[in-house]
């Protein structure tokens, strides 16, 4: 379970400030796969980073009783001067995982070829996403945090990514950020909508999608 208590997040910008979260209170229950919806610039990735502990809220606290992944698909989660293999080894050691198994799984899954042994700064955004996804899927988390990763790669890779992700979240929890409502419907059972600093949780993913569509003016 993840609990957001009185969370506010405010950025100072030229000519004023940007409010991502305005005294947000929400509970993401254990076992739910939650699609996080919101318009471009609403702050979905920032919200995911706060839940992961990579960004601090301006005020409030976030509580969890399980082990969270770092956000899959977030380019900054990989060290740019380390190779893909070195990044995988580093993460395996942090989480106490079998390093040989980590390398085997990520090398096979991410399909990076010789780039697996090249610095991540030489990767395209899609390659970084595949590396991040492979590392996370090699580990056992209570909640997987995902930022649009399954859009990376060709159709066969997306199909493979969806299959393994559905297998993982079928046994665990997830918070999934995507602009694709078809992806949200396929993967998520519940939803949350971030709009103008307010976050609303919906136990039924269809209710969340309907509210998001209303926010976007979709008939």
């Amino acid at each position: 379970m993840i609990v957001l208590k009185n969370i506010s997040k405010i950025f100072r910008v030229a000519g004023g400030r940007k409010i991502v979260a305005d005294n947000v209170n929400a509970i993401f229950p254990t076992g739910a796969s939650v699609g996080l919806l919101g318009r471009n610039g609403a702050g979905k990735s920032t919200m995911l980073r706060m839940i992961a502990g990579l960004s601090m809220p301006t005020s409030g606290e976030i509580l969890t009783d399980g082990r969270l992944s770092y956000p899959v698909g977030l380019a900054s989660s990989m060290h740019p001067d380390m190779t893909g293999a070195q990044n995988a080894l580093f993460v395996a050691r942090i989480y106490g995982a079998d390093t040989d198994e980590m390398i085997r799984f990520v090398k096979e899954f991410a399909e990076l070829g010789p780039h697996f042994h090249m610095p991540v700064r030489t990767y395209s955004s899609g390659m970084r996403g595949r590396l991040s996804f492979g590392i996370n899927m090699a580990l056992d988390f209570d909640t997987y945090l995902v930022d649009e990763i399954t859009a990376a790669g060709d159709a066969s890779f997306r199909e493979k990514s969806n299959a393994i992700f559905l297998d993982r979240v079928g046994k665990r929890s997830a918070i999934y950020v995507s602009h694709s409502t078809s992806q949200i419907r396929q993967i998520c059972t519940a939803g949350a909508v971030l709009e103008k600093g307010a976050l609303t949780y919906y136990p039924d993913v269809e209710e969340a999608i309907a509210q998001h569509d209303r926010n976007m003016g979709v008939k």
Side-chain angles (χ1 to χ4, degrees):
M1 182 169 63
I2 298 169
V3 179
L4 278 58
K5 297 181 64 177
N6 304 317
I7 293 296
S8 291
K9 182 66 172 180
I10 301 169
F11 292 105
R12 301 289 175 184
V13 296
R17 48 185 202 155
K18 175 179 173 57
I19 300 174
V20 171
D22 186 7
N23 198 39
V24 165
N25 288 277
I27 297 175
F28 296 86
T30 300
S33 180
V34 182
L36 182 54
L37 294 157
R39 64 183 75 233
N40 286 337
K44 301 181 296 297
S45 294
T46 299
M47 182 65 69
L48 208 65
R49 285 177 59 86
M50 286 195 291
I51 292 171
L54 299 176
S55 177
M56 296 300 295
T58 305
S59 61
E61 60 180 337
I62 299 174
L63 308 173
T64 178
D65 60 0
R67 193 163 75 153
L68 306 180
S69 77
Y70 59 86
V72 182
L74 186 69
S76 61
S77 62
M78 299 287 100
H79 194 294
D81 292 325
M82 292 166 59
T83 67
Q86 288 169 335
N87 271 283
L89 283 172
F90 179 71
V91 174
R93 288 166 181 152
I94 288 175
Y95 288 101
D98 184 298
T99 54
D100 290 339
E101 178 59 23
M102 169 68 85
I103 292 295
R104 184 204 64 76
F105 180 90
V106 177
K107 183 177 181 179
E108 178 181 321
F109 185 88
E111 300 177 5
L112 295 171
H115 293 279
F116 189 52
H117 298 286
M118 296 180 185
V120 168
R121 57 180 161 74
T122 66
Y123 288 17
S124 67
S125 59
M127 292 166 67
R128 288 194 298 271
R130 281 152 52 189
L131 174 66
S132 174
F133 186 84
I135 290 173
N136 270 274
M137 293 302 105
L139 297 167
D140 185 27
F141 293 107
D142 296 300
T143 301
Y144 290 89
L145 306 176
V146 183
D147 195 352
E148 201 80 60
I149 177 58
T150 52
D154 58 19
S156 64
F157 186 83
R158 290 197 300 272
E159 183 177 348
K160 180 173 72 169
S161 298
N162 284 341
I164 193 168
F165 184 68
L166 285 169
D167 177 70
R168 296 290 191 271
V169 301
K171 306 166 189 174
R172 297 289 186 264
S173 306
I175 301 176
Y176 184 82
V177 173
S178 178
H179 291 96
S180 169
T181 53
S182 62
Q183 284 274 355
I184 293 286
R185 283 189 170 99
Q186 181 182 8
I187 290 172
C188 301
T189 56
V193 179
L194 184 61
E195 173 74 5
K196 297 179 180 178
L199 181 73
T200 306
Y201 178 83
Y202 296 88
D204 183 346
V205 69
E206 291 298 334
E207 291 182 12
I209 291 172
Q211 182 59 57
H212 174 62
D213 284 346
R214 286 192 291 271
N215 292 343
M216 299 296 291
V218 177
K219 301 287 187 177

